[in-house]
C-alpha cells in the first residue's frame, strides 16, 4: 500500500456515521425509551443506552422511519401524552402508542448532541402534512403550527436541517407505493413547499430500495428528472446477509455496495448532463447494514402488539467484518456519499441491544462502527493498494485486503481501517507512508475471533470485542503490520 498526504479524495462529512431510529419493534419503546428502567432520566429515556450511543459519537439520527413513516400522522405524536391516540402501524402490523413523538425525540437527540434527519410521510399523506410538520418544527413563532409547538412547551424551534422526502416509495411493501413519475412529482412539489417555509433545509429524495429492485436505475433517472434542482441528495438502501453460510461470498458483497454507489452516481451525472445543470447530486446511503437472521422468524410474530421483539438480529463476528467492509466502502466513496445511516441503532437490527427494564450490551457490529465514527473523521486519502484477490460464488477478483485511509489534519492523526477477508492466511501489510515523516503507531486494534459465529448476548456481553495487541510498527517510513485472517483492523499513527 502507498499513502501520500497529497492524494486527497474528499473531506469526510461526519454525517456518514449517522444512524437510524424507527418506531419499530423495541427500538423506541423498551430501547431508548423505558420509563421503568433504573437508568431512565426524567423523561423516561435510558441513560445507559444514551451513554453507549455517545461512545460511538453518532452525529445524526434518521427518524421516525423507515416503512413506519409512510403511514404516520405526526400530529398523533405531539401535545399531552394522555390525549394521544393509539394507532395501527400497518408497516410493521403493530400498535403505536404515540408516547414518544417529535418533541420527545428532538429533546433526546439534543442530549446526545446529535442532529435529526426527519422523514415526512409521502405514502398516505403529502405536501400539506409535510409543510405543516416543517412549520411546527422550524418556524420560530406567530403561525398556527409554530404556536402549537410553543403551546406544547417547546419555545425554541427545533431547527431540523436534513429532511427525507418519504421512504422507499418504489417498494410494494410500502403503504402508499408510487410509480417513479408519481413520486417524482410529489417529491418535487413537497420540496418546493418546504423550501418556501425554510430555504436553509436540505432534502433527500428516495432512490431505489435495493440494487435488485425491478425498477432500479430507471427509478433514479425518472425521480431525478422531476426533482434534480429541488433536492440535495438521492438515497440508497441496502442490507446483506449470509443465509447460505458462505463467508467468502458474504464478505465479497461489499463489492455490490460499491457497484451500487458507482451506478447511482452515474445516473445522477446523466441527469446532470441532460439538464446541463451546474449542480452535482450527492448521495445519502440512509439505510445500510446486515439483516437476515430474523427475517423468517419475524413472520410468526403475533400482529398488533406494542413493541414486540421485531428484527432483533443477533450479530456474529463475521457480521462485524461485513459491517467493517461496508464502512470502508462508504468512506472510499466519501466524495459523493455525504450521509449514511447504519440501520438501525437500538434493538431492531442494531449495534446496541437491551432487555426491557434490564441490561444493555454492545453487539459485535458496534466495534467497527465505533472505531470508524470516532477515528474516521478528516480527509480520505486515495491509497494505492495491491492485494491478493479471490473469487467467490458470485464475485470475481475480490481483494483480500479491504482498506481505507483517513487523515485528520486537526489531530495530525493518520488512520488505516482494514479488513483481511482471507479465511486462512494472515496478510502482511507493508505501507509506504510518504509525507508522514516521524509518524509512529499509537494503536493497532484488532477484532478477531476463532469462531466466526461468535456473538455477544445478555449473558456473554464481551465474547466479540477488539483488543489492542496488533503488531503494527513503522520502520524507515514504512508500516509493517500483520493482519490476522478474518480480522477488522484499525491502525492509528501520529
Ligand atoms: O430498517 C428496516 C426497514 O428496512 C425500514 O423500515 C425500511 O425502510 C427498509 O425496508
Amino acid at each position: 500500500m502507498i499513502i501520500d498526504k497529497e492524494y486527497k479524495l474528499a473531506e469526510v462529512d461526519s454525517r456518514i456515521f449517522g444512524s437510524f431510529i424507527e418506531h419499530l419493534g423495541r427500538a423506541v419503546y423498551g430501547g431508548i425509551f423505558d420509563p421503568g428502567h433504573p437508568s431512565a432520566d426524567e423523561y423516561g429515556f435510558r441513560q445507559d443506552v444514551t451513554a453507549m450511543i455517545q461512545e460511538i459519537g453518532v452525529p445524526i439520527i434518521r427518524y421516525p422511519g423507515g416503512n413506519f413513516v409512510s403511514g404516520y400522522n405526526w400530529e398523533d405524536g405531539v401535545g399531552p401524552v394522555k390525549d394521544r391516540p393509539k394507532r395501527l402501524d400497518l408497516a410493521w402490523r403493530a400498535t403505536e402508542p404515540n408516547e414518544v413523538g417529535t418533541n420527545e425525540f428532538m429533546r433526546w437527540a439534543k442530549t446526545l448532541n446529535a442532529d435529526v434527519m426527519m422523514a415526512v410521510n409521502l405514502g398516505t399523506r403529502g405536501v400539506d402534512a409535510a409543510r405543516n410538520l416543517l412549520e411546527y418544527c422550524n418556524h420560530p413563532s406567530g403561525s398556527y403550527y409554530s404556536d402549537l409547538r410553543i403551546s406544547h412547551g417547546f419555545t425554541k424551534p427545533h431547527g431540523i436541517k436534513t429532511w427525507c422526502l418519504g421512504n422507499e416509495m418504489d417498494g410494494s411493501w410500502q403503504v402508499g407505493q408510487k410509480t417513479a413519475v408519481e413520486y417524482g412529482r410529489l417529491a418535487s412539489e413537497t420540496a418546493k413547499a418546504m423550501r418556501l417555509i425554510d430555504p436553509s433545509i436540505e432534502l433527500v429524495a428516495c432512490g431505489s430500495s435495493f440494487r435488485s429492485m425491478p425498477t432500479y436505475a430507471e427509478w433514479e433517472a425518472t425521480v431525478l428528472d422531476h426533482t434534480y434542482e429541488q433536492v440535495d441528495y438521492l438515497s440508497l438502501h441496502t442490507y446483506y446477509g449470509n443465509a447460505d453460510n458462505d463467508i467468502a461470498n458474504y464478505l465479497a458483497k461489499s463489492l455490490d455496495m460499491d457497484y451500487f454507489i458507482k451506478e447511482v452516481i452515474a445516473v445522477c451525472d446523466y441527469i446532470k448532463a441532460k439538464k446541463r445543470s451546474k449542480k452535482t447530486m450527492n448521495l445519502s446511503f440512509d439505510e445500510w447494514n446486515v439483516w437476515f437472521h430474523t427475517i423468517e422468524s419475524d413472520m410468526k410474530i403475533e400482529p398488533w402488539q406494542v413493541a414486540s421483539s421485531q428484527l432483533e438480529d443477533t450479530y456474529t463476528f463475521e457480521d462485524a467484518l461485513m459491517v467493517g467492509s461496508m464502512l470502508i466502502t462508504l468512506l472510499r466513496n466519501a466524495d459523493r456519499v455525504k450521509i449514511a445511516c447504519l440501520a438501525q441503532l437500538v434493538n431492531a437490527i442494531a449495534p446496541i441491544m437491551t432487555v426491557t427494564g434490564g441490561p444493555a450490551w454492545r453487539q459485535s457490529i458496534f466495534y467497527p462502527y465505533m472505531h470508524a465514527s470516532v477515528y474516521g473523521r478528516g480527509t480520505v486519502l486515495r491509497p494505492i493498494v495491491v492485494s491478493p484477490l479471490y473469487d467467490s460464488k458470485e464475485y470475481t477478483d475480490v481483494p483480500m485486503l479491504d482498506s481505507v485511509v483517513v487523515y485528520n489534519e486537526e489531530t495530525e492523526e493518520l488512520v488505516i481501517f482494514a479488513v483481511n477477508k482471507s479465511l486462512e492466511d494472515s496478510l502482511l501489510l507493508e505501507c509506504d507512508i510518504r509525507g508522514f515523516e516521524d509518524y509512529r503507531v499509537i494503536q493497532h486494534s484488532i477484532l478477531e475471533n476463532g469462531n466466526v459465529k461468535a456473538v455477544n448476548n445478555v449473558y456473554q456481553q464481551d465474547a466479540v470485542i477488539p483488543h489492542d495487541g496488533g503488531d503494527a510498527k513503522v520502520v524507515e517510513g514504512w508500516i509493517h503490520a500483520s493482519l490476522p485472517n478474518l480480522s477488522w483492523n484499525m491502525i492509528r499513527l501520529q
Side-chain angles (χ1 to χ4, degrees):
M1 192 157 155
I2 302 171
I3 300 171
D4 191 301
K5 225 178 199 165
E6 302 308 321
Y7 297 172
K8 293 180 179 152
L9 175 74
E11 276 290 305
V12 177
D13 187 319
S14 62
R15 295 174 300 172
I16 210 169
F17 303 116
S19 190
F20 178 27
I21 291 274
E22 176 166 4
H23 282 251
L24 155 58
R26 294 189 311 117
V28 174
Y29 308 107
I32 58 171
F33 178 77
D34 189 354
H37 192 273
S39 83
D41 65 13
E42 56 180 312
Y43 303 113
F45 285 81
R46 284 182 66 151
Q47 286 174 297
D48 58 343
V49 172
T50 306
M52 285 184 188
I53 299 173
Q54 276 165 333
E55 275 175 47
I56 300 168
V58 179
I60 191 164
I61 306 176
R62 186 165 174 251
Y63 176 82
N67 297 337
F68 172 80
V69 81
S70 296
Y72 182 50
N73 297 339
W74 68 267
E75 300 89 338
D76 293 345
V78 297
V81 174
K82 64 172 180 33
D83 299 337
R84 297 185 192 172
K86 287 189 174 46
R87 293 269 189 204
L88 294 189
D89 158 22
L90 305 188
W92 301 106
R93 303 193 76 225
T95 301
E96 170 55 49
N98 281 308
E99 285 166 37
V100 171
T102 304
N103 295 319
E104 291 81 18
F105 193 80
M106 292 308 300
R107 181 171 52 208
W108 172 74
K110 216 169 162 191
T111 64
L112 285 164
N113 216 2
D115 289 330
V116 170
M117 182 179 184
M118 186 66 82
V120 299
N121 175 355
L122 294 191
T124 59
R125 305 188 80 186
V127 184
D128 203 39
R131 64 149 182 171
N132 293 344
L133 175 60
L134 177 63
E135 180 186 321
Y136 183 89
C137 290
N138 284 16
H139 196 67
S141 65
S143 67
Y144 178 79
Y145 284 106
S146 58
D147 289 344
L148 186 64
R149 182 197 70 239
I150 293 168
S151 78
H152 292 156
F154 292 82
T155 335
K156 280 178 67 184
H158 295 310
I160 301 170
K161 198 175 166 216
T162 317
W163 293 77
C164 299
L165 297 166
N167 176 71
E168 296 188 348
M169 299 310 307
D170 58 332
S172 57
W173 58 90
Q174 205 66 217
V175 177
Q177 181 196 9
K178 311 251 176 315
T179 65
V181 174
E182 286 166 348
Y183 173 69
R185 288 284 306 125
L186 178 60
S188 157
E189 288 304 312
T190 307
K192 186 169 87 187
M194 290 176 78
R195 283 201 198 284
L196 285 169
I197 295 175
D198 184 350
S200 73
I201 57 174
E202 292 200 320
L203 294 166
V204 184
C206 292
S208 297
S209 303
F210 302 98
R211 185 171 176 237
S212 52
M213 290 297 287
T215 49
Y216 174 57
E218 194 53 52
W219 171 276
E220 277 74 4
T222 308
V223 167
L224 286 179
D225 229 347
H226 289 284
T227 58
Y228 200 86
E229 297 304 336
Q230 303 282 1
V231 304
D232 304 282
Y233 308 93
L234 186 66
S235 78
L236 298 85
H237 291 180
T238 202
Y239 296 95
Y240 296 113
N242 189 15
D244 46 6
N245 199 18
D246 176 346
I247 185 166
N249 194 56
Y250 178 38
L251 296 180
K253 291 180 186 177
S254 62
L255 290 185
D256 181 85
M257 187 186 206
D258 195 59
Y259 303 151
F260 188 14
I261 293 171
K262 301 284 193 312
E263 288 162 1
V264 174
I265 290 172
V267 179
C268 290
D269 293 350
Y270 158 67
I271 299 296
K272 176 180 180 173
K274 194 174 154 190
K275 291 184 178 292
R276 281 93 173 147
S277 176
K278 287 203 168 73
K279 170 174 164 185
T280 298
M281 186 64 55
N282 284 321
L283 309 187
S284 171
F285 215 127
D286 44 47
E287 284 188 37
W288 67 270
N289 200 351
V290 168
W291 174 17
F292 73 106
H293 295 283
T294 55
I295 289 178
E296 246 179 75
S297 55
D298 275 5
M299 289 175 186
K300 298 182 197 121
I301 288 177
E302 193 62 30
W304 315 125
Q305 298 182 64
V306 175
S308 62
S309 301
Q310 288 176 291
L311 278 69
E312 296 200 5
D313 280 40
T314 298
Y315 289 117
T316 59
F317 164 67
E318 66 184 10
D319 296 332
L321 295 181
M322 184 58 193
V323 162
S325 251
M326 292 172 90
L327 282 159
I328 288 171
T329 306
L330 290 167
L331 282 167
R332 268 205 310 256
N333 287 287
D335 52 334
R336 296 297 285 272
V337 178
K338 300 295 169 187
I339 304 173
C341 302
L342 175 71
Q344 302 191 6
L345 190 51
V346 182
N347 286 336
I349 43 174
I352 298 169
M353 296 299 292
T354 71
V355 169
T356 304
W361 66 97
R362 298 162 190 80
Q363 294 230 57
S364 62
I365 63 168
F366 179 96
Y367 295 102
Y369 180 36
M370 187 260 283
H371 278 164
S373 173
V374 173
Y375 298 107
R377 317 263 175 143
T379 303
V380 176
L381 300 181
R382 296 174 190 268
I384 294 173
V385 183
V386 181
S387 160
L389 307 171
Y390 72 92
D391 292 341
S392 73
K393 199 167 71 194
E394 292 172 291
Y395 301 89
T396 48
D397 294 338
V398 185
M400 299 269 191
L401 172 66
D402 199 0
S403 63
V404 71
V405 181
V406 182
Y407 175 52
N408 186 326
E409 263 152 323
E410 257 168 54
T411 58
E412 298 197 336
E413 229 182 88
L414 184 68
V415 185
I416 301 175
F417 299 109
V419 171
N420 176 0
K421 296 186 179 178
S422 170
L423 270 52
E424 275 128 30
D425 300 322
S426 66
L427 284 173
L428 178 60
L429 172 70
E430 307 210 303
C431 178
D432 179 350
I433 46 170
R434 296 169 183 183
F436 293 97
E437 285 102 37
D438 301 327
Y439 267 60
R440 53 184 189 86
V441 174
I442 54 172
Q443 186 184 9
H444 178 182
S445 191
I446 304 181
L447 189 66
E448 58 183 333
N449 203 295
N451 174 10
V452 293
K453 304 294 180 194
V455 298
N456 296 339
N457 57 37
V458 65
Y459 308 108
Q460 206 184 352
Q461 300 185 5
D462 292 335
V464 187
I465 52 167
H467 66 82
D468 280 349
D471 67 0
K473 58 180 180 303
V474 180
V475 181
E476 292 170 4
W478 283 75
I479 305 171
H480 302 270
S482 8
L483 314 180
N485 62 317
L486 294 178
S487 64
W488 158 264
N489 297 260
M490 176 180 71
I491 303 174
R492 293 171 55 215
L493 300 100
Q494 209 173 29

